[in-house]
Amino acid sequence: MPDYTLELAAGGRVAGVDEAGRGPLAGPVMAAAVMFHGAPPDTLAMLLDDSKKLSAEKREAAFAVLRAAARAGVLDYAIAAASAAEIGRLNILRATHLAMWRAVSRLPALPDLVLVDGNAAPRLPCATRCVVKGDSLSLSIAAASILAKVTRDRAMIRLDGRWPGYGFARHAGYPTAAHRAALEKLGPCPHHRRGFAPVDQLALL
């Protein structure tokens, strides 16, 4: 389970950053930045974990509590995206880093240090530290992973209403068998990612 050890050891203003949506064939990649104002209360901390380990219901519950905690002054957070068009132009890693940069830049105050999930440090307007499996170690990163995941899932549900037939609400753009079958039948929509082989191959047909 994640805890607040890394943040306390760093001192100063420390934010955690994580992304959601690097693997899909469609939709944006989303990033969130979370900066707690001191160790979060146990009632909040116990809800936080790597978003991939939580059910959709638990992610939604944690998302609501995090937003309430922000209104109460317990934390600051910001969420940002890079679009499918930006992913196609930049590649997925650089677009992910762009989304992270946008999220950190939107915090009310810049952190002294950003803890980033993974082993590839984005170029941010402040110091960074990579933390492998950070969403299982750091409460700030775990909180960011939940905010990014829930926000992206909601965005894909909205896209499903605008582009019916692909099943975005069910698979969130990931390359499931149903999504690939819909791509073959309908071809790519404007929110499919160019530069991803299954999309590019069908775009040429």
Side-chain angles (χ1 to χ4, degrees), residues 116-140:
V116 181
D117 185 47
N119 58 9
R123 186 172 296 176
L124 297 177
C126 49
T128 62
R129 180 185 302 166
C130 290
V131 183
V132 176
K133 297 184 179 179
D135 41 14
S136 296
L137 298 172
S138 158
L139 282 175
S140 298

Side-chain angles (χ1 to χ4, degrees), residues 74-94:
V74 173
L75 61 94
D76 290 324
Y77 76 88
I79 304 170
S83 68
E86 289 173 320
I87 293 168
R89 187 170 70 249
L90 298 172
N91 76 40
I92 185 58
L93 178 61
R94 291 172 63 194

